[in-house]
Amino acid sequence: MRHQILTETYTDARLREKVSAIISELCDGLGRVDARFVKEAVFGIAQSGSVRLTAISHALKEDIPIHATHKRLSRNLGHGAVGEVLLRNLLARGVEQLNDDSLLVLNTMEVEKKYAEKMAFLGEIDSKGERKGYEMCEILATGNLLQVDRKVKTVVGGEKILADVCNERDFVPVTQMLWSRNAPEFEGVNQQILNLVREVRAQSGSNGIVVCNRNQDDRLLLQTWAESTLDRFIVRLQMAVSYTHLRAHETREDLGWPGR
C-alpha cells in the first residue's frame, strides 16, 4: 500500500531544502556521501509515499538512467554506519522531550518477507515455520512531552523557509530494533526488548514510563523492570495469569507501577 505524505505546495527545490535542513541534525557524525543519501531517501519517500528504492529513484528525477540511481541508493543503503548514527541521534533528540511521566510505548511487529530467499539471517516468524521474515520493536514517546523549541531556517530561491522540528508533537520516535531469530547474536525476544529499553534508560535516566501490552506480558520482562531502580511500567496482563505472573511482587511499589 502506498501512502502519500502531505508536502503542502512546495516545489521540488523547496521541499528538498526543507528536508535537508530538518534532517541535517540527525546526520551529525555521517560523512558527506552517507548524509546525502539520507536526505535523498527522506525526500524520495516524502514525494513518492513509498520506501521502495525504485519509487525513490523516480522521485529524485536525476538526469541519469533510473537503474543507475537505484544502484547508487542500494549501495549507500548497505553502509552500516547510516543506521547506527541515525538511531543514536534519534534517541538523543527523542529523550530531550521526555518528562518524568511521559509514556514510552513498546510496539512490536513482524516484517514478513514472502518472496525473499537470499536476505541475511532470514528466519521464521511463526510457531509453525510457515512465515519468514524479521521481528521488530520500536519505542514511541507520547503524553506530556516537553515541547522543545527547535526551529531550522534556510533560504532557497531568495525565499526563507522555517521548519518546526519538534513543535507540538503528539508523539515522537525514540528508538527501534530489528532482529532475526537466525542471527548468531540473537539472545531471545525478551532480551532484545530489554536491551532496547536499557538504551533509552542510558540516555533518559528514570524519565518515562514503559507501556506494554499482552504481547510483552512475560515474567522475564516484568520481573526485570519490577526489580529495577529506574524502570516504571504499565502492562496489560492476561487475565489467566494476572494473579500468579508476579507473585513475588504483590505490592504496587514492588511492581514498579506509576506513583511508587
Side-chain angles (χ1 to χ4, degrees), residues 26 50 107 109 138 143 146 177 200 236 242 258:
L26 287 181
S50 171
N107 182 29
M109 65 197 80
E138 63 179 356
L146 293 171
M177 181 183 294
V200 177
R236 183 182 180 187
S242 59

Side-chain angles (χ1 to χ4, degrees), residues 22-204:
I22 294 174
I23 297 300
S24 290
E25 194 173 80
L26 287 181
C27 292
D28 288 347
L30 288 177
R32 182 178 300 178
V33 173
D34 287 336
R36 175 192 173 190
F37 162 71
V38 173
K39 294 171 185 178
E40 288 182 336
V42 173
F43 169 80
I45 293 170
Q47 283 288 69
S48 67
S50 171
V51 296
R52 296 178 60 193
L53 291 183
T54 301
I56 295 172
S57 300
H58 281 287
L60 293 178
K61 300 177 182 177
E62 295 184 326
D63 294 328
I64 57 175
I66 287 294
H67 71 83
T69 301
H70 187 286
K71 185 176 181 180
R72 174 174 58 82
L73 294 177
S74 180
R75 183 174 63 251
N76 294 155
L77 187 60
H79 295 177
V82 173
E84 294 171 5
V85 171
L86 290 181
L87 282 176
R88 183 171 66 245
N89 290 338
L90 183 68
L91 175 59
R93 272 61 176 183
V95 298
E96 287 180 355
Q97 296 185 251
L98 293 182
N99 271 307
D100 180 61
D101 58 352
S102 298
L103 303 180
L104 295 169
V105 181
L106 293 183
N107 182 29
T108 54
M109 65 197 80
E110 298 170 345
V111 182
E112 185 175 3
K113 308 299 293 186
K114 290 184 179 180
Y115 309 109
E117 297 293 341
K118 297 182 179 180
M119 296 183 71
F121 308 120
L122 192 65
E124 295 76 21
I125 55 176
D126 66 349
S127 57
K128 296 181 180 180
E130 296 175 351
R131 296 165 57 241
K132 57 186 178 181
Y134 303 90
E135 294 169 281
M136 177 180 175
C137 181
E138 63 179 356
I139 298 181
L140 304 173
T142 186
N144 194 26
L145 297 176
L146 293 171
Q147 300 303 327
V148 178
D149 184 17
R150 179 177 279 128
K151 295 181 173 65
V152 294
K153 298 179 182 179
T154 187
V155 177
V156 57
E159 186 175 2
K160 181 183 295 185
I161 298 175
L162 179 65
D164 295 323
V165 180
C166 300
N167 189 37
E168 297 181 359
R169 296 288 182 87
D170 293 326
F171 68 90
V172 294
V174 178
T175 190
Q176 63 183 28
M177 181 183 294
L178 182 78
W179 64 81
S180 166
R181 294 176 184 248
N182 286 352
E185 66 272 14
F186 178 68
E187 303 176 88
V189 173
N190 290 331
Q191 193 59 52
Q192 299 290 138
I193 294 173
L194 289 174
N195 292 343
L196 200 61
V197 173
R198 286 190 184 117
E199 288 183 12
V200 177
R201 289 295 178 220
Q203 294 278 344
S204 70

